[in-house]
Amino acid sequence: MQASVINIEKIRKDFPILERKVHKDKPLVYLDNAATTQKPVQVIEAISNYYLNYNSNIHRAVHELAEEATAAYELTRDKVAKFINAPRREEIVFVRGTTEAINLVAYTWGRQNVGKDDIIVTTEYEHHSNIVPWQLLAKEKGARIEYVGVDDGGQLMLEQLDRYLETGRVKLVTFSQMSNVLGTISDSEEIVRRCKARGVRVLVDGAQSVPHMKVDLQRLGCDFFAFSAHKMLGPTGVGVLWARRDLLEGMVPFNGGGDMIREVHKYETTWNDLPYKFEAGTPNIADVIGFGAAIDYLEAIGMDRVREHEVEITRYALEKLSEIKGMKIYGPMDAGKRGGVISFNLGDIHPHDLATIIDEDGVAIRSGHHCAQVLMERLDVSATSRASFYIYNTKDEVDVLVRALNRARELFRI
Amino acid sequence: MSSADIYREIILDYYRNPRNYGKIPNPDVAQRDSNPLCGDELEMHLNIKDNKIADVKFTGKGCAISQASASMLTELIMGKDFEEVKKLSKEDILENLGLHDLGPARIKCALLSLKVLKSGLYSYLTEKMKDTASADKMKEEASGLY
Ligand SMILES: Cc1ncc(COP(=O)(O)O)c(C=O)c1O
């Protein structure tokens, strides 16, 4: 194993799944991290420790188990706030994931603030979860959706954003900080600056950025921010919506029920304080606690080093993949300015066929439209293959990928 | 089944040079479907005369398995008796393709064309033949494919 900015050998020991073999005897080469990452034992143990030792509902009971569980659950909120440098812990709302966070904003703030002929601006490289909720809202309100286009280098064409902003009808601009297909890192501070200059609200989808680079919400200056635990070593079923306190205060609740109320009477209810107003019902206690362990794990490595490792492996992969005959890579080619997500097509091999073939060599990649069909149309392809890296991936694994792709190329006689 | 066995010369040939590719103007049956998981698309056009498949064409986008399967299916049914075509089964298709033991994800690719065919026959039986009993059977078969 080559030297790296992080101690990969030590890290890999924390991920027992990486030891397993697939297709009988092939070591697993897991390169589908943009879909979901593997979980270290520390996270798995935090979850089982809760169930084994202090399983209890939170916030209401006064017994010792409930107090321990409440403390552990709320501790994750503090960890999240610190991890993304959010100004206040009560602005962190736990949800099921990025998808639910965006829907929450669309169904509450969106319904209250977007009206007929208003414009919601998104981009051509959004995940379906940052398109469909806005389409639903636009249909309901008679509003319009506009797209900031993507140029041939995989970058957003910000002059189009300016044109939309000039109409004076834009209510919200929403975009992902890192594309889950092209790996493009958006110029997010600049986008937020342009929106703020016109008093327009901004939602940032951090599903791909938060796991892979240092994110500082106070520098970013957006209004809403969403991300998922399962893409950053944490469990599925937990995500975060961050929103500025004044916005959360003005928003109607998303779900009604227990925990989100202050007083319930027959015909009137008053809401609980933030963030509980948006956390109705028994939350995903175990997994929120597990998420806390994931953040600890990443903090111990340091997000700067996580990023440095990924730049290094992405640079290596871009170089090696480019050498394969018939290879077409989508997105920016400068590893220093993009994330560790590489989408490509090899000759006329359909991505599903390609993924089937290299799966036999133990290599797990994603194939398809990656929940980004608007982008697929823009690229004029029906699908791509996608390899995506994380802290435990090595250059040796990139070599296995390259060998597997060459085998596929030979099978298809390219 | 290993990929060397799946991607044989014949499958690649039908993928790259699909037979009966295209559209029929004013067809008796036009049926389209897609696989929401992978985005494979398929549209099949049929003309039916004297209880025989007088003409059949398809267009589509997708993996080698789905496209080769569609093309080979059109060859299989061209000129065949309508009654025989109605009886085509999943096993017939896989046999025709020479594919077996495909995993659960990839078998959908192989069977998309049969699903489109059966759905098309359902519409034909309902609208043109007013044969609701056979139509219902066809619909059930189509939805049972995956
Ligand atoms: C950029 C981006 N946004 C949103 C999502 C949706 O995340 P989740 O499925 O966790 O809600 C994803 C994950 O696939 C993503 O990559």
Side-chain angles (χ1 to χ4, degrees), chain A residues 34 97-100 127 129 176 178 180 205 207-208 228 230-231:
Chain A
T98 309
T99 304
E100 190 173 76
H127 189 275
S129 61
S176 50
M178 186 191 292
N180 71 318
D205 172 350
Q208 295 295 338
S228 302
H230 71 94
K231 293 181 195 286

Side-chain angles (χ1 to χ4, degrees), chain A residues 31 321 344 358 363 365 387 397-405:
Chain A
L31 301 179
L321 289 174
F344 58 91
I358 74 172
V363 183
I365 60 163
E397 289 181 311
V398 173
D399 293 337
V400 176
L401 168 69
V402 169
R403 275 200 299 278
L405 291 174

Side-chain angles (χ1 to χ4, degrees), chain A residues 5-6 178 183-185 208-209 211-214 298 301-315 334-341 390-391:
Chain A
V5 290
I6 59 181
M178 186 191 292
T184 312
I185 297 174
Q208 295 295 338
S209 56
H212 303 283
M213 60 197 233
K214 182 97 197 94
L298 288 170
I301 299 172
M303 288 310 291
D304 290 335
R305 283 201 284 173
V306 168
R307 170 81 188 131
E308 224 180 300
H309 166 69
E310 287 183 27
V311 169
E312 197 177 298
I313 195 162
T314 304
R315 180 168 293 133
D334 180 351
K337 294 191 177 138
R338 52 126 63 231
V341 180
Y390 211 25
I391 47 174

Side-chain angles (χ1 to χ4, degrees), chain A residues 348 352-353 356 360 412-413, chain B residues 3 7 15-16 38 64 106:
Chain A
D348 67 350
H352 287 130
D353 296 318
T356 298
E360 284 176 347
F412 266 69
R413 298 166 188 81
Chain B
S3 56
Y7 301 103
Y15 173 52
R16 288 182 172 138
C38 61
R106 299 316 302 277

Side-chain angles (χ1 to χ4, degrees), chain A residues 233-249:
Chain A
L233 309 180
T236 53
V238 180
V240 170
L241 169 68
W242 171 87
R244 287 216 330 269
R245 185 170 60 186
D246 55 314
L247 290 170
L248 287 173
E249 278 169 350

Side-chain angles (χ1 to χ4, degrees), chain A residues 251-265:
Chain A
M251 281 154 62
V252 292
F254 184 35
N255 292 318
D259 236 23
M260 51 79 70
I261 50 90
R262 176 174 305 281
E263 284 176 37
V264 178
H265 305 286

Side-chain angles (χ1 to χ4, degrees), chain A residues 7-15 297:
Chain A
N7 189 343
I8 302 191
E9 242 169 298
K10 180 162 169 283
I11 287 172
R12 286 182 72 90
K13 291 210 172 75
D14 291 328
F15 294 81
Y297 195 93

